[in-house]
Amino acid sequence: MLLAIDIGNTNVVFGVFAGEALEHTFRVSASRERTADEYTVLLRELLRARSIDPAAISATIIASVVPPLTDVLGDAVREGFARAPVVVGPGLKTGIPVLYENPREVGADRIVNAVAAYDRVRGAAIVVDFGTATTFDCISPRGEYLGGVIVPGVRVSLEGLVASAAKLSGVEIAEPPRVLGRNTTHAIQSGIVHGHAALVDGLVRKLVAELGHPCAVLATGGFAGLIARHSEVIESVDPHLTLIGLRILHERNAERRS
């Protein structure tokens, strides 16, 4: 079985694959305070809680946007499974030419999403990932990573608003009953949900116009389902797109090593 690990700024998401099938997923907070030993114990217990023998994990792959946690989780994998993980980064075969001015600046998760999206649609695509930041990543019809857009994420936007406005307090990020809010809670929820959906629609249309060709629009990340219901441009939602991309990358590089 393959253990795929997606390390983000807010959460660490784990996926367990049996062949191409994603059998289990689980997530923990991306705590920089935990040691490698603590992550080892936590990870093994999470696997056992899903009736998975840790000894069944035969390979691991990590994508990370938090360098300190990359090393910690890498050590946890070595300690817990007696094997070194594959880490997404320079030198790894992706099959996706990166046309960024400085390819090293592109987050590993964005490349992994591009791999998964192109494998799925085999054509031009835009991936909208609703994480700590909301990222827009553009893939050409030939499978090249072109670049994209980064904006503050759904939760970050709400937290910034509450922190800066003395009379506003935190609310649940949820769908309001209508666009027109008739109380402060619904007004904030409308701004977060419908405002973010409008932002997505506007940016995607601008990107498509600039690219000059149609694009499949895929969404992933924690708030993808909520925002996509109010978007006119998002065509499909896959909350596990990054994990699937990690599986594809592991297969490509396993073939290369063999």
Side-chain angles (χ1 to χ4, degrees):
M1 302 182 92
L2 171 68
L3 175 64
I5 305 174
D6 174 25
I7 304 173
N9 288 292
T10 304
N11 295 304
V12 181
V13 183
F14 302 89
V16 179
F17 287 89
E20 295 187 359
L22 180 59
E23 299 283 349
H24 301 276
T25 65
F26 43 96
R27 66 178 58 214
V28 300
S29 61
S31 172
R32 305 188 191 191
E33 306 303 318
R34 291 192 184 106
T35 66
D37 289 336
E38 289 172 324
Y39 271 112
T40 298
V41 173
L42 176 61
L43 183 50
R44 291 174 69 88
E45 289 305 311
L46 285 169
L47 290 169
R48 290 192 179 101
R50 287 159 176 76
S51 302
I52 303 170
D53 182 353
I57 301 298
S58 58
T60 59
I61 183 168
I62 295 174
S64 174
V65 297
V66 188
L69 282 181
T70 309
D71 295 335
V72 171
L73 265 296
D75 289 342
V77 165
R78 292 182 186 91
E79 293 174 15
F81 307 104
R83 65 187 73 254
V86 174
V87 179
V88 178
L92 193 74
K93 176 186 176 184
T94 64
I96 297 284
V98 179
L99 305 187
Y100 223 53
E101 291 180 0
N102 182 356
R104 292 179 180 270
E105 291 181 354
V106 185
D109 55 338
R110 301 176 73 186
I111 298 300
V112 173
N113 285 342
V115 168
Y118 188 72
D119 182 79
R120 178 167 301 182
V121 305
R122 292 296 173 181
I126 297 173
V127 180
V128 187
D129 189 345
F130 297 92
T132 304
T134 298
T135 57
F136 299 71
D137 294 302
C138 300
I139 303 97
S140 77
R142 295 183 294 182
E144 302 155 319
Y145 179 84
L146 301 175
V149 178
I150 303 173
V151 300
V154 175
R155 189 175 300 280
V156 168
S157 298
L158 176 59
E159 290 173 349
L161 174 65
V162 171
S164 301
K167 290 190 175 182
L168 297 182
S169 58
V171 301
E172 179 187 5
I173 298 176
E175 185 174 354
R178 59 185 68 83
V179 178
L180 177 62
R182 296 187 179 274
N183 57 56
T184 302
T185 294
H186 290 163
I188 293 174
Q189 289 174 333
S190 182
I192 292 296
V193 174
H194 292 290
H196 219 77
L199 179 150
V200 168
D201 290 350
L203 277 175
V204 166
R205 290 186 178 115
K206 285 178 178 291
L207 286 168
V208 170
E210 191 168 288
L211 291 168
H213 53 70
C215 296
V217 182
L218 294 74
T220 190
F223 292 106
L226 174 62
I227 304 301
R229 289 199 294 272
H230 305 282
S231 168
E232 297 175 358
V233 301
I234 294 174
E235 299 170 14
S236 64
V237 175
D238 187 343
H240 305 309
L241 190 70
T242 310
L243 295 176
I244 291 168
L246 283 170
R247 175 189 61 75
I248 294 167
L249 282 181
H250 185 269
E251 290 174 357
R252 289 178 181 173
N253 285 272
E255 292 169 1
R256 184 183 185 186
R257 288 193 299 274
S258 62

